[in-house]
Amino acid sequence: MEDDHIEIKKYKESNECLITGEITPQNRRYANNLVLSPLGAKILFNEIKDKQKTFES
């Protein structure tokens, strides 16, 4: 309920990986409530590493 009306929103799991959408017991919450699964963390790490190589060249 909000004021005098009912608001319906799609339920979103709060422990869902931002990158993969996975919900696992291994998901971790980082700064600014960023949630990553182990696979999501690996993907993000590799993207950052690849971008860093671009800047170093």
Side-chain angles (χ1 to χ4, degrees):
M1 291 285 293
E2 190 171 304
D3 298 325
D4 61 346
H5 63 280
I6 296 174
E7 190 172 323
I8 299 175
K9 293 181 182 179
K10 184 176 179 180
Y11 175 74
K12 183 176 178 182
E13 179 67 44
S14 61
N15 199 28
E16 180 180 327
C17 176
L18 181 66
I19 295 178
T20 65
E22 291 180 314
I23 301 169
T24 72
Q26 293 81 23
N27 286 12
R28 297 289 178 255
R29 187 173 302 278
Y30 297 96
N32 295 327
N33 286 323
L34 172 68
V35 176
L36 295 174
S37 66
L39 177 60
K42 189 175 193 174
I43 292 168
L44 183 59
F45 175 78
N46 287 332
E47 279 193 28
I48 291 170
K49 193 168 64 171
D50 290 344
K51 295 279 187 215
Q52 186 177 14
K53 287 178 186 175
T54 303
F55 289 123
E56 289 175 353
S57 300

